[in-house]
Amino acid sequence: MRVSVVGAGLGGLCLAQGLRGAGIEADVYERDPAITARFQGYRLVLSPMGFEALRGCLPPRWHPLLDAIVGDAYAERLILDPRLNRIGELGPGRTGIVIDRHVLRHLLLTGLTVRTGAALTGYDVLDDGKVEARFARGAPATADLLVGADGVGSAVRAVLSPRTTATDTGARFVIGRTPLTERFAALEPAFGSKIAGDGVSLMLGAMRFRTPPKRAAEELAPEVTLPDIRDYVRWAMLLPPNGPLGVPTAQEAALSRMEGWHPDLRALIEQADPDNSTLLSIRVVEPRERWAPGPVTLLGDAIHATSPTGGNGANTALRDADLLRRCLIEAVERRQDLLGAVGAYERQMFEYGGEAVRHSLAALPAFVPHVDLLRQ
């Protein structure tokens, strides 16, 4: 069996690693001109389900490395004012496993061949049941299954399910990271809490590696090359819906809304790494209409993009990858045919993916007041 994976994000790469480990050929195609062409460097919180799905797709020999490069997180989930005074609670405290997205992506890329600059222009299902994907550059690719893991603006989804479209909530957020110094370590009570300003919310989270990733790879898996990244604070400011920015950089967009805030909070933004700070829109995709069974399917944000307030986007994509991997193994072992395996994946994915989107939208107003939760 051969699988074409369109999109080299976490979900697509995790699937490709899982298929590779099962002896299934997987080719990855990415529309960006290079793997590092875009900002992809912030911290992720992995749920137990997401972490186990990731482990299931990785070679067992990398499990000690994975355990070494994650961090542990505990958050009281308080509500603080801009002077860091406690004014409420978001809910019960929460523990989790945190991992740097940039580091994880490098781990998942290890051993895979990714064809970059490969923007999908369309595909055709051939008479023999296989699918041929066409790209703006390079030769077409034929496979038994085409998987669209190409994000919220999925080109695969536009052909497979054109009525399933992304919805812009109107909310925006600025995200960045700042080296974790002794001064910023004192912000510990704010990690995982919401700092409620005038129409904006600031969220902080520490990324403390159990072992520095580069050193961990050298010691535990020399075939893997990981970035030399040190501990940092990930920060994200959620902005009012459709508000004007009027400033040239992401840091200035945040600082312009922080007049009178605690000096340590302003310093955190001022000392952020500008190459890892950016402004993003909050768009969602909710899976609704099922498409006809066939050798094409979707994974991750391409079919269930969530608001970041749900904390479940990456976890759900990793769950997709592991579930699809297991279903395809059943097809290879002839416990069911390919279309039956894909159908089994889609039935489960639609159910939990839809719930993930709804959960994330329900959480959004607590962070972005007056947001208009549009529906398709």
Side-chain angles (χ1 to χ4, degrees):
M1 180 187 295
R2 179 179 289 273
V3 178
S4 290
V5 180
V6 177
L10 296 184
L13 294 175
C14 188
L15 173 64
Q17 284 288 355
L19 296 180
R20 179 180 177 229
I24 298 172
E25 295 182 88
D27 305 303
V28 182
Y29 302 88
E30 169 57 49
R31 63 174 171 254
D32 284 349
I35 288 297
T36 57
R38 287 185 295 120
F39 166 83
Q40 301 202 37
Y42 50 87
R43 185 195 76 149
L44 299 169
V45 180
L46 297 181
S47 66
M49 175 272 297
F51 188 63
E52 288 307 309
L54 174 61
R55 287 175 69 91
C57 290
L58 289 177
R61 68 180 183 278
W62 290 354
H63 289 179
L65 174 59
L66 178 63
D67 292 338
I69 62 175
V70 299
D72 303 294
Y74 172 75
E76 286 191 82
R77 292 175 53 80
L78 306 174
I79 303 176
L80 309 174
D81 70 15
R83 302 299 298 181
L84 297 178
N85 299 305
R86 178 172 175 169
I87 57 176
E89 295 184 4
L90 277 172
R94 185 173 65 184
T95 58
I97 294 172
V98 293
I99 192 166
D100 180 78
R101 187 185 190 101
H102 187 57
V103 170
L104 176 56
R105 196 156 183 250
H106 273 74
L107 175 62
L108 291 172
L109 284 163
T110 303
L112 298 180
T113 299
V114 179
R115 188 171 122 189
T116 55
L120 184 98
T121 58
Y123 64 81
D124 295 301
V125 177
L126 307 178
D127 291 341
D128 61 1
K130 295 187 178 184
V131 58
E132 181 182 80
R134 303 186 303 275
F135 304 94
R137 295 173 52 194
T142 301
D144 298 285
L145 178 67
L146 174 67
V147 180
D150 48 343
V152 66
S154 172
V156 178
R157 187 188 70 236
V159 180
L160 179 63
S161 184
R163 294 177 60 182
T164 305
T165 57
T167 298
D168 191 336
T169 65
R172 304 288 181 266
F173 67 108
V174 185
I175 191 166
R177 73 181 186 202
T178 305
L180 182 57
T181 62
E182 185 175 333
R183 177 183 185 180
F184 298 138
L187 293 170
E188 185 80 34
F191 297 159
S193 299
K194 179 180 83 167
I195 302 166
D198 184 14
V200 300
S201 297
L202 181 67
M203 306 292 294
L204 309 181
M207 181 66 239
R208 294 186 177 96
F209 299 100
R210 292 175 182 168
T211 307
K214 185 174 186 295
R215 191 181 85 200
E218 291 170 348
E219 294 175 354
L220 297 171
E223 74 274 20
V224 178
T225 301
L226 296 182
D228 189 12
I229 296 178
R230 303 295 170 168
D231 295 350
Y232 64 86
V233 179
R234 187 272 300 140
W235 52 266
M237 177 175 280
L238 285 90
L239 306 176
N242 301 311
L245 291 175
V247 289
T249 71
Q251 286 167 276
E252 289 170 340
L255 288 168
S256 68
R257 291 163 170 82
M258 296 176 67
E259 184 176 352
W261 285 44
H262 194 286
D264 287 351
L265 294 175
R266 289 188 58 87
L268 183 75
I269 309 304
E270 291 167 348
Q271 296 179 31
D273 175 3
D275 292 334
N276 284 284
S277 303
T278 192
L279 175 72
L280 299 169
S281 62
I282 297 181
R283 294 183 292 163
V284 299
V285 176
E286 189 169 354
R288 293 182 179 179
E289 183 181 67
R290 287 289 301 274
W291 47 83
V296 184
T297 194
L298 299 171
L299 178 154
D301 284 357
I303 183 58
H304 47 64
T306 66
S307 162
T309 50
N312 53 14
N315 286 294
T316 311
L318 295 173
R319 182 177 181 179
D320 288 351
D322 187 46
L323 174 60
L324 183 54
R325 171 188 72 91
R326 290 185 280 111
C327 288
L328 293 180
I329 289 173
E330 290 191 359
V332 169
E333 294 176 349
R334 301 189 183 281
R335 285 182 276 162
Q336 60 178 327
D337 61 22
L338 176 60
L339 294 189
V342 174
Y345 158 73
E346 290 175 349
R347 283 190 295 275
Q348 296 177 66
M349 178 270 290
F350 260 69
E351 182 175 351
Y352 66 71
E355 177 55 33
V357 177
R358 292 187 289 273
H359 170 79
S360 74
L361 286 174
L364 186 56
F367 298 90
V368 187
H370 313 303
V371 68
D372 182 17
L373 299 184
L374 301 175
R375 286 291 185 266
Q376 298 174 21

